[in-house]
PDB file of all heavy atoms in Angstrom:
ATOM      1  N   ILE A  56     -24.850 -13.031 -69.463  1.00 85.00           N
ATOM      2  CA  ILE A  56     -25.015 -13.190 -70.901  1.00 85.00           C
ATOM      3  C   ILE A  56     -26.486 -12.910 -71.209  1.00 85.00           C
ATOM      4  O   ILE A  56     -27.366 -13.458 -70.546  1.00 85.00           O
ATOM      5  CB  ILE A  56     -24.623 -14.611 -71.350  1.00 85.00           C
ATOM      6  CG1 ILE A  56     -23.148 -14.838 -71.022  1.00 85.00           C
ATOM      7  CG2 ILE A  56     -24.897 -14.829 -72.822  1.00 85.00           C
ATOM      8  CD1 ILE A  56     -22.684 -16.259 -71.206  1.00 85.00           C
ATOM      9  N   PRO A  57     -26.769 -12.019 -72.184  1.00 86.00           N
ATOM     10  CA  PRO A  57     -28.170 -11.712 -72.495  1.00 86.00           C
ATOM     11  C   PRO A  57     -28.995 -12.979 -72.709  1.00 86.00           C
ATOM     12  O   PRO A  57     -28.613 -13.852 -73.468  1.00 86.00           O
ATOM     13  CB  PRO A  57     -28.076 -10.889 -73.782  1.00 86.00           C
ATOM     14  CG  PRO A  57     -26.713 -10.286 -73.737  1.00 86.00           C
ATOM     15  CD  PRO A  57     -25.844 -11.305 -73.043  1.00 86.00           C
ATOM     16  N   GLY A  58     -30.103 -13.070 -71.983  1.00 86.00           N
ATOM     17  CA  GLY A  58     -30.978 -14.224 -72.109  1.00 86.00           C
ATOM     18  C   GLY A  58     -30.493 -15.451 -71.366  1.00 86.00           C
ATOM     19  O   GLY A  58     -31.067 -16.522 -71.481  1.00 86.00           O
ATOM     20  N   GLY A  59     -29.417 -15.307 -70.609  1.00 86.00           N
ATOM     21  CA  GLY A  59     -28.861 -16.457 -69.908  1.00 86.00           C
ATOM     22  C   GLY A  59     -28.656 -16.176 -68.435  1.00 86.00           C
ATOM     23  O   GLY A  59     -28.979 -15.119 -67.917  1.00 86.00           O
ATOM     24  N   LYS A  60     -28.086 -17.135 -67.763  1.00 89.00           N
ATOM     25  CA  LYS A  60     -27.804 -17.020 -66.337  1.00 89.00           C
ATOM     26  C   LYS A  60     -26.461 -16.324 -66.129  1.00 89.00           C
ATOM     27  O   LYS A  60     -25.605 -16.343 -67.010  1.00 89.00           O
ATOM     28  CB  LYS A  60     -27.761 -18.410 -65.702  1.00 89.00           C
ATOM     29  CG  LYS A  60     -29.067 -19.146 -65.742  1.00 89.00           C
ATOM     30  CD  LYS A  60     -28.923 -20.509 -65.083  1.00 89.00           C
ATOM     31  CE  LYS A  60     -30.242 -21.261 -65.131  1.00 89.00           C
ATOM     32  NZ  LYS A  60     -30.119 -22.587 -64.520  1.00 89.00           N
ATOM     33  N   PRO A  61     -26.256 -15.759 -64.943  1.00 92.00           N
ATOM     34  CA  PRO A  61     -24.938 -15.178 -64.639  1.00 92.00           C
ATOM     35  C   PRO A  61     -23.845 -16.250 -64.712  1.00 92.00           C
ATOM     36  O   PRO A  61     -24.069 -17.400 -64.347  1.00 92.00           O
ATOM     37  CB  PRO A  61     -25.097 -14.671 -63.203  1.00 92.00           C
ATOM     38  CG  PRO A  61     -26.564 -14.500 -63.017  1.00 92.00           C
ATOM     39  CD  PRO A  61     -27.209 -15.565 -63.872  1.00 92.00           C
ATOM     40  N   VAL A  62     -22.681 -15.852 -65.191  1.00 92.00           N
ATOM     41  CA  VAL A  62     -21.549 -16.761 -65.345  1.00 92.00           C
ATOM     42  C   VAL A  62     -20.371 -16.183 -64.562  1.00 92.00           C
ATOM     43  O   VAL A  62     -20.092 -14.989 -64.659  1.00 92.00           O
ATOM     44  CB  VAL A  62     -21.159 -16.903 -66.837  1.00 92.00           C
ATOM     45  CG1 VAL A  62     -19.920 -17.751 -67.001  1.00 92.00           C
ATOM     46  CG2 VAL A  62     -22.311 -17.465 -67.640  1.00 92.00           C
ATOM     47  N   ILE A  63     -19.699 -17.012 -63.790  1.00 94.00           N
ATOM     48  CA  ILE A  63     -18.506 -16.578 -63.067  1.00 94.00           C
ATOM     49  C   ILE A  63     -17.300 -16.729 -63.992  1.00 94.00           C
ATOM     50  O   ILE A  63     -17.045 -17.801 -64.522  1.00 94.00           O
ATOM     51  CB  ILE A  63     -18.280 -17.405 -61.789  1.00 94.00           C
ATOM     52  CG1 ILE A  63     -19.467 -17.264 -60.832  1.00 94.00           C
ATOM     53  CG2 ILE A  63     -16.976 -17.002 -61.105  1.00 94.00           C
ATOM     54  CD1 ILE A  63     -19.682 -15.868 -60.298  1.00 94.00           C
ATOM     55  N   VAL A  64     -16.574 -15.623 -64.181  1.00 94.00           N
ATOM     56  CA  VAL A  64     -15.335 -15.656 -64.958  1.00 94.00           C
ATOM     57  C   VAL A  64     -14.191 -15.681 -63.939  1.00 94.00           C
ATOM     58  O   VAL A  64     -14.044 -14.731 -63.159  1.00 94.00           O
ATOM     59  CB  VAL A  64     -15.216 -14.434 -65.884  1.00 94.00           C
ATOM     60  CG1 VAL A  64     -13.904 -14.472 -66.649  1.00 94.00           C
ATOM     61  CG2 VAL A  64     -16.401 -14.351 -66.833  1.00 94.00           C
TER      62      VAL A  64
END
Side-chain angles (χ1 to χ4, degrees):
I56 298 171
K60 296 180 180 179
V62 175
I63 300 296
V64 178

